[in-house]
C-alpha cells in the first residue's frame, strides 16, 4: 500500500473541494491509501469523505492561545505543536500532495522531504537553500497563473489532476454519512413529499447564508424566490441552515413572514449530506455547502456575486449553472435576480432548454463543461463579455499547448462560435501590441545580461530592465503570463548559479511569448478555414476532385 | 501562618489565620449559600470555575452542589489556596473530588506550566474570588493575576518535551522563540530543525498583532 498524505490548511469549502481529488487519487489506484493533514477547527469537513488513510489534525487555536497569551509558557505551545505533528512525521510517506500550498503547508512538506528524500512531492516545497520548488509546470500554473485576476485558464483541481497524471472521478460513493441520519432524513423528506402533493416538481434547497454578507443572496431576493415558489406550486422551497444562532434567527424571521409555513432544515457537516441527497436542486451563494453539493452530484444554481472570484472556485457539476454578476454590470433589481435564479432553476431541473434561458443583462450564466482537458465554463445567457471570454479560452488553449503539448482546436472553435472573428481580430491586435511592447522589455533584459557578463558596470542596467519587465506581470493581459512566470522564477533563483538560472528564466519567458504569438497564429489559421472564401475555395476544389 | 480553628454558632469549624476569620463564625453554610447567590449572574450558564481562595471550602461545596443540579456531573472547579494547611484540609474533606480540584502549585510559573491546570484554563473558566481569602493573600493572588511567563528560550527548556525541538533551540538560549524564528529565516536555515522552528512560528502566528 502506498501511503499518500494530502496537506490542506484551508477552510471548509476548499476541504470539500480537495475531497474530489483525494477520492480520485484512491480510485485511480486501489493500492493507495490517502491520509489528510489539516487544522483541528475544520475536522468535521474532513470527516465527510471516507478514505483508506487517517485524518491528522493540528490544533492551531490551542497553539495560538498558548503562544499569544502572556500567562502561558511558549513551551506549552511547542509541546502541543510537536504532539500534533509527530504522528505525521513518524509515518513513512511515499507521496505528499501539498494541496493548500500555503506557507505552513509548504514548510511541512519540506520537513517530510528532508526526513525522506525519496518521497514524491506534488505542489510546493522548499529547497535546502530556501527556494520555492514547483513540482511541475502545472503547479506553477496553479500558484502563479490562476491567482492572476484576469482569468482562470485551467481549473484549480485540473492542475492537480494534470500534475498527478490521474483522471477525475465522482466522489458520490465516498461521502461518509451516518446511517441513522440517512434514515431520519429519508423518512422526513418522504413524508414532506407526500404532504405537499404531486404538483410540486422538485424540492429545492435554498442556502440562506455564506461566510460573507457580500456573497449572500440578498434577503429580499430570498423572500421573493420563496413567494414565487409558493405562488407557482412548482418548486417546494426548503430553507437550509447551519446550527448557528445567526442563521437560525434569519430563518425564523423569514418563516414568520410566511406565517410559519416554511420548511427549515438545520444540519451540520456530518448530517448535511443525508439532507442534501433528498433534495432535487439547491440555490446557493458561494458557500461550503456548494462544494458539498458538488461532491454529491446534486445540481445547483450558484449565485456568484461581484465579490466572489470569478471562475476560480465555481461549481464543478456539469448539471449546475452559475448566475454571475459583476461590478461592471451595474445595479440590479430584486426582481431581476429572482427571475434569473428561477429561470436558472428551471434550466437545471430540465423544465426549459438552454436557448430559452432568458435573463436580465445585469447577469450572465455559465455552464461547467468537462472534456478531456478538464473543466471550463461556457457563457450560456445574459450579458456577454467577449473580451474576457476570448482571453480566458485563448489562455486555456495556450497552457494546454505549453504544458501538455496539446493543440485543442475545440477551444479555437469555441472562440470562433462565441466571440466571432471581428472581435477576436480586434482583441488579438491589441494583445499583440502589448506583447510586442513587453517583449521589447524582455529583450532589453537579455541584452543587458549579455553585457553584464563582459562589463560588471552593466549590472545596474540589467537590474533596472528586469524591474521594468517584471512590472508587466501587473498588466492583466496575455503579456502578463510570461512575466508572472518569470517573476516566480526570478524570486527563487538559487544562490549557487543565479546568472545561469536568470538566463534560463529569461529565455523561457521569450519562448512563452513566442508560443503566445504562435497560438494567435493558430487562431488566425483556424478562422481562415471558416471564412466564406476559404470554404468556397474548398468546395470548388472538392467539386474538381 | 498560624491557624486557629473555632467552632461557629451553627457548629461548623472555621479557621482563623493570624487572627483573621475566613468564614462566618455564626453560620458558614448560610454564608456559602449567599456566596453562590451573590455570584449567580456570573455562574448561570457556565460549568467551569476558577476560585481564588479555599478556606475550609464551604463556598466551594455550595457552588459544587448548585452546579451538580444544573449540569449533573459535567462541571469542574479549580481552586487556588496558597495556605498548605487549609488546602490539605479542603483536599481531605472534598465530597466533590471528581469535579473539584485544588491546585498544588503555589508558584505561578509552576502553575502556568501544570498541564492539567492549563488545559482547564484554556477553556476560559469564570473567575470567582472568595474575598476573605483574597484579602488575606492579596499579593499572592495579584501575582497570579499579573503573571507573565518568561519568553527566554533558556526558561522553556525544562518544559519542552520533544528532543528534536530542544536540540533546535539549544544553541539559542539567549533568544526568544520569535527572535529565533526570524533569525532562522534570515540565516536561510532550512535544515530539519530550522524548518521545524519556522513551521511552528507559521502556525503560532505573530504575537505583535495581539499586543
Amino acid at each position: 500500500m502506498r501511503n499518500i498524505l494530502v496537506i490542506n490548511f484551508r477552510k471548509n469549502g476548499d476541504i470539500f473541494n480537495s475531497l474530489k481529488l483525494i477520492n480520485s487519487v484512491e480510485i485511480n489506484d486501489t493500492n493507495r491509501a490517502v491520509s489528510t493533514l489539516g487544522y483541528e477547527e475544520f475536522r468535521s469537513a474532513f470527516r465527510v469523505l471516507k478514505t483508506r488513510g487517517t485524518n491528522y489534525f493540528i490544533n492551531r487555536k490551542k497553539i495560538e492561545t498558548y503562544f499569544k497569551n502572556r500567562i502561558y509558557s511558549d513551551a506549552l505551545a511547542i509541546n502541543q505543536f510537536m504532539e500534533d505533528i509527530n504522528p505525521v512525521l513518524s509515518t513513512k510517506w511515499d507521496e505528499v500532495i501539498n494541496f493548500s500550498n500555503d506557507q505552513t503547508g509548504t514548510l511541512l512538506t519540506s520537513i517530510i522531504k528532508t526526513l525522506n528524500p525519496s518521497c514524491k512531492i506534488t505542489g510546493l516545497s522548499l529547497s535546502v537553500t530556501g527556494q520555492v520548488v514547483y513540482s511541475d509546470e502545472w503547479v506553477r500554473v496553479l500558484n502563479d497563473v490562476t491567482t492572476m485576476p484576469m482569468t482562470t485558464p485551467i481549473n484549480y483541481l485540473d492542475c492537480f489532476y494534470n500534475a498527478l497524471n490521474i483522471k477525475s472521478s465522482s466522489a458520490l460513493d465516498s461521502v461518509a454519512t451516518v446511517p441513522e441520519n440517512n434514515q431520519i432524513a429519508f423518512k422526513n423528506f418522504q413524508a414532506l413529499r407526500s404532504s405537499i402533493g404531486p404538483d410540486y416538481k422538485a424540492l429545492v434547497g435554498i442556502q440562506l447564508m455564506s461566510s460573507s454578507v457580500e456573497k449572500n443572496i440578498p434577503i429580499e431576493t430570498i423572500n421573493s424566490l420563496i413567494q414565487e415558489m409558493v405562488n407557482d406550486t412548482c418548486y417546494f422551497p426548503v430553507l437550509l441552515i447551519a446550527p448557528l444562532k445567526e442563521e437560525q434567527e434569519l430563518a425564523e424571521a423569514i418563516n414568520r413572514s410566511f406565517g410559519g409555513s416554511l420548511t427549515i432544515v438545520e444540519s451540520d457537516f456530518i448530517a448535511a449530506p443525508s439532507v442534501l441527497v433528498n433534495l432535487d436542486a439547491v440555490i446557493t451563494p458561494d458557500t461550503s455547502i456548494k462544494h458539498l453539493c458538488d461532491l454529491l452530484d446534486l445540481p445547483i444554481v450558484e449565485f456568484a456575486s461581484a465579490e466572489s472570484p470569478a471562475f476560480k472556485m465555481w461549481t464543478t457539476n456539469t448539471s449546475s449553472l452559475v448566475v454571475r454578476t459583476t461590478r461592471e454590470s451595474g445595479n440590479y433589481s430584486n426582481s431581476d435576480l429572482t427571475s434569473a435564479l428561477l429561470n436558472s432553476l428551471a434550466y437545471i431541473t430540465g423544465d426549459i432548454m438552454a436557448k430559452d434561458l432568458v435573463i436580465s443583462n445585469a447577469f450572465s450564466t455559465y455552464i461547467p463543461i468537462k472534456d478531456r482537458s478538464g473543466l471550463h465554463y461556457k457563457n450560456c445567457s445574459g450579458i456577454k463579455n467577449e473580451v474576457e471570454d476570448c482571453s480566458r479560452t485563448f489562455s486555456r488553449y495556450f497552457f494546454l499547448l505549453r504544458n501538455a503539448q496539446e493543440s485543442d482546436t475545440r477551444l479555437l472553435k469555441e472562440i470562433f462560435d462565441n466571440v466571432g472573428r471581428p472581435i477576436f481580430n480586434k482583441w488579438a491586435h491589441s494583445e499583440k501590441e502589448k506583447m510586442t511592447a513587453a517583449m521589447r522589455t524582455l529583450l532589453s533584459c537579455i541584452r543587458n545580461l549579455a553585457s553584464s557578463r563582459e562589463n560588471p558596470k552593466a549590472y545596474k542596467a540589467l537590474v533596472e530592465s528586469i524591474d521594468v519587465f517584471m512590472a508587466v506581470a501587473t498588466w492583466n493581459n496575455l503579456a502578463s503570463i510570461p512575466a508572472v512566470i518569470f517573476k516566480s522564477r526570478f524570486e527563487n533563483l538559487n544562490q549557487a548559479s543565479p546568472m545561469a538560472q536568470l538566463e534560463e528564466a529569461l529565455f523561457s519567458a521569450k519562448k512563452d511569448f513566442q508560443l503566445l504569438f504562435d497560438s494567435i497564429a493558430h487562431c488566425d489559421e483556424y478562422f481562415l478555414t471558416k471564412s466564406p472564401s476559404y470554404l468556397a475555395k474548398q468546395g470548388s476544389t472538392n467539386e474538381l476532385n | 501562618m498560624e491557624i486557629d480553628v473555632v467552632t461557629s454558632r451553627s457548629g461548623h469549624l472555621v479557621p482563623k489565620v493570624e487572627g483573621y476569620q475566613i468564614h462566618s463564625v455564626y453560620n458558614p453554610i448560610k454564608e456559602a449559600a449567599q456566596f453562590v447567590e451573590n455570584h449567580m449572574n456570573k455562574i448561570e450558564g457556565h460549568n467551569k470555575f476558577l476560585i481564588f481562595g479555599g478556606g475550609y471550602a464551604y463556598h466551594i461545596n455550595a457552588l459544587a452542589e448548585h452546579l451538580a443540579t444544573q449540569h449533573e456531573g459535567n462541571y469542574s472547579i479549580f481552586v487556588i489556596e496558597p495556605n498548605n494547611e487549609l488546602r490539605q484540609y479542603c483536599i481531605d474533606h472534598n465530597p466533590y473530588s471528581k469535579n473539584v480540584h485544588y491546585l498544588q502549585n503555589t508558584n505561578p510559573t509552576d502553575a502556568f506550566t501544570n498541564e492539567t491546570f492549563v488545559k482547564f484554563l484554556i477553556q476560559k473558566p469564570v473567575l470567582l474570588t472568595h474575598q476573605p481569602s483574597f484579602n488575606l493573600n492579596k499579593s499572592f493572588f495579584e501575582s497570579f493575576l499579573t503573571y507573565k511567563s518568561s519568553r527566554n528560550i533558556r526558561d522553556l527548556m525544562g518544559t519542552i518535551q520533544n528532543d528534536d525541538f530542544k536540540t533546535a533551540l539549544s544553541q539559542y538560549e539567549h533568544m526568544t522563540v520569535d527572535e529565533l524564528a526570524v533569525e532562522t529565516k534570515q540565516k536561510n536555515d532550512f535544515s530539519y530543525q530550522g524548518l521545524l522552528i519556522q513551521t511552528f512560528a507559521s502556525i503560532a502566528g505573530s504575537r505583535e498583532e495581539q499586543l
Side-chain angles (χ1 to χ4, degrees), chain A residues 467-491:
Chain A
D467 274 348
V468 173
F469 178 54
M470 288 211 294
V472 176
T474 61
W475 284 6
N476 201 26
N477 52 39
L478 284 187
S480 318
I481 294 174
V484 162
I485 295 171
F486 170 80
K487 195 168 175 239
S488 83
R489 288 195 163 130
F490 180 77
E491 285 166 353

Side-chain angles (χ1 to χ4, degrees), chain A residues 57-108:
Chain A
F57 298 100
I58 293 179
N59 198 331
R60 172 174 60 170
K61 290 203 164 166
K62 215 169 180 181
I63 294 169
E64 277 180 356
T65 303
Y66 286 148
F67 193 63
K68 291 181 177 172
N69 198 320
R70 273 312 300 257
I71 60 172
Y72 303 124
S73 162
D74 289 349
L76 297 175
I78 291 167
N79 288 346
Q80 183 66 47
F81 167 70
M82 289 310 297
E83 188 184 318
D84 291 346
I85 68 161
N86 253 339
V88 175
L89 299 186
S90 57
T91 303
K92 191 171 184 305
W93 301 105
D94 298 297
E95 206 170 329
V96 171
I97 300 170
N98 180 6
F99 187 84
S100 49
N101 285 317
D102 60 330
Q103 187 186 35
T104 308
T106 303
L107 286 163
L108 257 169

